[in-house]
């Protein structure tokens, strides 16, 4: 009998590369989880409610009564987003309490009011912060003293609440923008800004100089243990989001509170940023060997002619924002998500139509691959995000929002994947396809800045989606040679990610 054909050198090299990717992905994921769980050791972490507001309470087991630190997230954030600060302060002996603002995370009550007026949405969020503060001070383990810590949008909320509530002994404002700061209030104000937040750094310095015109970044004006003080510091090498994982920022917040409350505690910080990166990188790396378990597809779709690619991307990019400039897209109880859903639908439908009119084949639908891709993005990657980074598992009120966004996200991602040949296209083509789409969103904002301003905050989420899930989807597309499966899976993931990120909002 003839012997079985021996594997070629290329096949053996491919198998070895897959094994190496699988082992590396597992190692990175295990190391990341181990480090992320290690910083929780010795803590009791419990969930609670203040009215409809979900809270998380962090405290050391059997710790003596200590000051409370109420921790507030920024726009489109959640409790998990601020966990590095909660873990750091709880390990230092503080009673840390974080919560989801109305409309955010797992809070079922939408934001409301006029976002342009202090007496509107801001006042409502201050009221919610006040209720959480009252509840936190009544917890076992509280010694009756309290401080506030908040990021971005919450920085203005905590500053104004500290001005209104004499119980607040210290305020830690991260990436602060607030017009309420005066020369002497709020008492014991620490302003932390990322090195790459140029405008916010200038504003932080301005607020420091209100207390002392000769002060500079890194200076402390006054005495936090006595009459009150103010300090503005810069966290090196970070911007508006990564400042939340900066060891410098974490140490400064901890040291400031120790000075205010006359405490001496461990100066170790929960530097979770690198561990999160390891875990998420491991999940992305595992996508390649796991995708190889799917049924192998036939020949990939042919390369699109440049003229076809240009027409199928540029025409929708120009026409969509111009057309929707005159359309009322307010039909979802979320800020600008309804517009984005319609933009995605119109862009995707136009692109698919233009591709079809130019004779482009869409290929078959590999249903199993689409389901596996969506499950990997939502359950595996999304589960890791939900535990360690930001809220990703929706409350029931968000499910119709996700479904509505999916109506637009699926056509857009189908068009993206078909133009991208299911992950087989050259890198420059991929960058072109996705760059043109982002430019279309930027054009929409430019045409109607007042209505779509908050879309600017979500665009980085879409960029991150393309980087992370684009890599995962590309593995599935290249294995199955089914751009339709890749597009459907990515569309469902994108709809889910946007549906859990946008704050729920009801005007009035």
């Amino acid at each position: 009998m003839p012997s079985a054909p021996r594997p070629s050198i290329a096949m053996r090299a491919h198998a070895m590369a897959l094994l190496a990717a699988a082992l590396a992905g597992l190692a990175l994921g295990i190391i990341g989880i181990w480090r992320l769980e290690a910083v929780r050791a010795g803590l009791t972490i419990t969930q609670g409610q203040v009215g409809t507001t979900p809270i998380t309470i962090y405290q050391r087991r059997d710790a003596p009564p200590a000051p409370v630190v109420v921790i507030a997230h920024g726009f489109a954030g959640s409790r998990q987003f601020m966990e590095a600060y909660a873990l750091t302060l709880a390990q230092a002996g503080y009673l840390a309490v974080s919560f989801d603002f109305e409309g955010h995370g797992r809070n079922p009550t939408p934001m409301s009011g006029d976002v342009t007026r202090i007496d509107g949405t801001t006042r409502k969020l201050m009221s919610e912060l006040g209720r959480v503060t009252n509840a936190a001070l009544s917890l076992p383990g509280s010694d009756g003293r309290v401080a506030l810590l908040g990021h971005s949008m919450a920085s203005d909320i905590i500053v104004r609440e500290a001005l209104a509530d004499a119980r607040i002994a210290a305020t830690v404002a991260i990436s602060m923008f607030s017009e309420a700061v005066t020369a002497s209030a709020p008492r014991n104000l620490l302003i932390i800004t990322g090195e790459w937040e140029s405008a916010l750094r200038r504003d932080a310095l301005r607020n420091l100089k209100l207390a002392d015109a000769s002060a500079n970044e890194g200076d402390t004006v006054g005495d936090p243990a006595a009459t009150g003080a103010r300090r503005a510091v810069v966290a090196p090498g970070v911007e508006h989001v990564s400042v939340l994982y900066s060891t410098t920022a974490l140490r400064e917040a901890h040291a400031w509170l120790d000075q205010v409350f006359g405490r001496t505690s461990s100066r170790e910080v929960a530097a979770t940023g690198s561990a999160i990166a390891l875990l998420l990188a491991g999940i992305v790396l595992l996508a390649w060997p796991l995708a190889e378990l799917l049924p192998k597809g036939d020949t990939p779709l042919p390369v699109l002619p440049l003229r076809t690619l240009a027409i199928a991307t540029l025409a929708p990019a120009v026409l969509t924002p111009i057309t929707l400039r005159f359309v009322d897209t307010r039909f979802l109880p979320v800020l600008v998500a309804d517009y984005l859903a319609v933009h995605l639908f119109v862009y995707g439908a136009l692109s698919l139509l233009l591709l079809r009119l130019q004779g482009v084949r869409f290929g078959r639908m590999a249903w199993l691959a689409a389901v596996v891709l969506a499950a990997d993005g939502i359950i595996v990657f999304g589960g890791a995000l939900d535990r360690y980074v930001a809220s990703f598992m929706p409350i029931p009120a968000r499910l119709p929002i996700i479904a509505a966004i999916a109506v637009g996200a699926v056509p857009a991602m189908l068009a993206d994947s078909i133009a991208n040949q299911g992950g087989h296209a050259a890198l420059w083509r991929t960058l072109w396809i996705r760059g043109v789409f982002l430019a279309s969103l930027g054009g929409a904002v430019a045409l109607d800045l007042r209505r779509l301003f908050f879309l600017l905050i979500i665009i980085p989420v879409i960029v991150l989606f393309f980087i992370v899930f684009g890599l995962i989807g590309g593995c599935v597309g290249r294995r199955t040679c089914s751009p339709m499966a890749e597009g459907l899976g990515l569309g469902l993931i994108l709809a889910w990610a946007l549906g859990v990120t946008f704050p729920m909002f009801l005007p009035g």
Side-chain angles (χ1 to χ4, degrees), residues 51-343:
T52 61
T53 303
I55 66 171
T56 303
I57 305 160
Y58 302 78
Q59 58 188 142
R60 287 195 65 84
R61 299 189 185 103
D62 303 320
V68 172
V69 183
V70 178
I71 300 172
H73 62 78
F75 182 84
S78 59
R79 288 168 288 169
Q80 295 96 314
F81 223 48
M82 305 297 295
E83 192 166 64
Y85 288 89
L87 293 170
T88 294
L89 296 173
Q91 290 288 11
Y94 290 91
L95 178 59
V97 178
S98 61
F99 68 100
D100 288 339
F101 271 121
E102 290 181 351
H104 294 75
R106 292 187 175 90
N107 194 325
T109 303
M111 293 174 68
S112 59
D114 186 344
V115 295
T116 65
R117 298 179 56 201
I118 301 302
D119 288 333
T121 305
T122 296
R123 193 67 62 190
K124 290 178 179 291
L125 297 182
M126 286 175 60
S127 178
E128 183 176 29
L129 174 59
R131 294 192 298 272
V132 172
T133 301
N134 291 337
L137 283 169
S138 68
L139 291 170
S142 164
D143 70 1
R145 296 178 291 173
V146 63
L148 303 179
L149 183 151
H151 173 243
S152 191
M153 173 193 77
S155 66
D156 183 52
I157 306 301
I158 64 170
V159 163
R160 294 180 185 277
E161 184 65 14
L163 294 174
D165 188 345
R167 297 173 301 174
I168 309 303
T171 306
V172 179
I174 306 162
S175 301
M176 187 185 83
F177 57 92
S178 178
E179 298 178 352
V181 177
T182 69
S184 59
R187 182 163 53 105
N188 292 322
L189 172 63
L190 171 65
I191 308 170
I192 302 173
T193 313
E195 180 183 2
W196 300 334
E197 298 182 281
S198 300
L200 295 182
R201 279 184 67 179
R202 290 193 295 271
D203 194 60
L205 183 59
R206 178 185 65 80
N207 282 299
L208 178 64
K209 287 181 176 294
L210 289 176
D212 183 346
S214 64
N216 289 304
E217 290 177 337
D219 292 345
T220 299
V221 178
D223 183 358
T227 57
R230 183 167 301 177
R231 177 173 169 81
V233 294
V234 175
V238 295
E239 38 66 63
H240 197 65
V241 174
S242 53
V243 68
L244 297 177
Y245 302 99
S246 164
T247 54
T248 297
L250 292 166
R251 289 194 185 102
E252 286 282 349
H254 176 197
W256 186 255
L257 294 174
D258 273 2
Q259 291 179 66
V260 170
F261 293 115
R263 293 167 54 89
T264 301
S265 53
S266 166
R267 293 300 171 88
E268 293 185 8
V269 297
T272 58
S274 59
I276 290 171
L278 288 176
L279 172 57
L280 299 184
I283 294 173
V284 173
L285 194 56
L286 282 170
W288 179 33
L290 291 177
E292 292 295 305
L293 300 176
L294 293 169
K296 184 174 176 58
D298 300 326
T299 305
L301 296 183
V303 177
L304 295 183
L306 291 180
R307 181 176 180 275
T308 299
L309 179 65
I311 291 174
T313 53
L314 288 175
V318 173
L319 292 174
T320 301
I322 293 175
T323 302
L324 295 184
R325 174 68 178 84
F326 306 100
V327 177
D328 185 356
T329 57
R330 292 169 293 186
F331 64 94
L332 289 175
V334 284
L335 286 171
V336 303
D338 35 21
Y339 173 85
L340 182 56
V342 177
H343 191 110

Side-chain angles (χ1 to χ4, degrees), residues 364-402:
R364 64 187 181 87
M365 171 62 79
W367 291 102
L368 175 62
V371 171
V372 169
L373 174 56
D376 182 57
I378 294 170
I379 298 173
V380 180
F381 197 94
L385 287 178
D386 191 77
R387 179 161 178 82
Y388 300 117
V389 184
S391 180
F392 202 81
M393 295 302 150
I395 56 176
R398 288 186 176 272
L399 294 177
I401 297 170
I402 293 172

